Amino acid sequence: MAAGEMVIVGYRPHPGQAAELERLVADHVPILRRLGLATDRPALAMRAADGTVIEVFEWQPGGIERAHADPQAGALWARFAAVCDYVPLRELPEFGAMFAQFTPLAS
């Protein structure tokens, strides 16, 4: 079986949306798995000092491409857009350190 692709993504919550973002991140990968888009590899979620949530998970081979055509994935992404902005990881000070440290989110 072909390997999937690991992804690391940063979500900066809109004002007052941190709790909703954390709930959404907790549901995110399980939904992608039900859609056959993400692997069973354990996902990680953590918070940066500025409140940005970092998520690490693995797409199924071709999962990224299939997600763009999947209406349920599109609806999921619309929910993210309502509560956060995507953040390039280089904008987070933690990624300038030799060992980037974050606060784990409850799984």
Side-chain angles (χ1 to χ4, degrees), residues 18 29 50 54:
V29 174
D50 73 353
I54 308 299

Side-chain angles (χ1 to χ4, degrees), residues 50-62:
D50 73 353
T52 297
V53 173
I54 308 299
E55 184 179 41
V56 181
F57 68 95
E58 183 180 29
W59 288 103
Q60 287 282 2

Side-chain angles (χ1 to χ4, degrees), residues 9-24:
V9 60
Y11 312 108
R12 183 167 293 139
H14 295 160
Q17 296 296 315
E20 182 59 28
L21 175 59
E22 288 187 22
R23 283 189 288 275
L24 185 54

Side-chain angles (χ1 to χ4, degrees), residues 48-99:
D50 73 353
T52 297
V53 173
I54 308 299
E55 184 179 41
V56 181
F57 68 95
E58 183 180 29
W59 288 103
Q60 287 282 2
I64 296 169
E65 294 79 14
R66 290 195 316 275
H68 285 280
D70 189 299
Q72 292 177 68
L76 182 60
W77 293 341
R79 290 174 57 201
F80 270 94
V83 300
C84 72
D85 294 315
Y86 294 90
V87 178
L89 300 176
R90 69 178 176 273
E91 290 186 12
L92 299 173
E94 289 88 346
F95 283 97
M98 180 66 69
F99 295 96

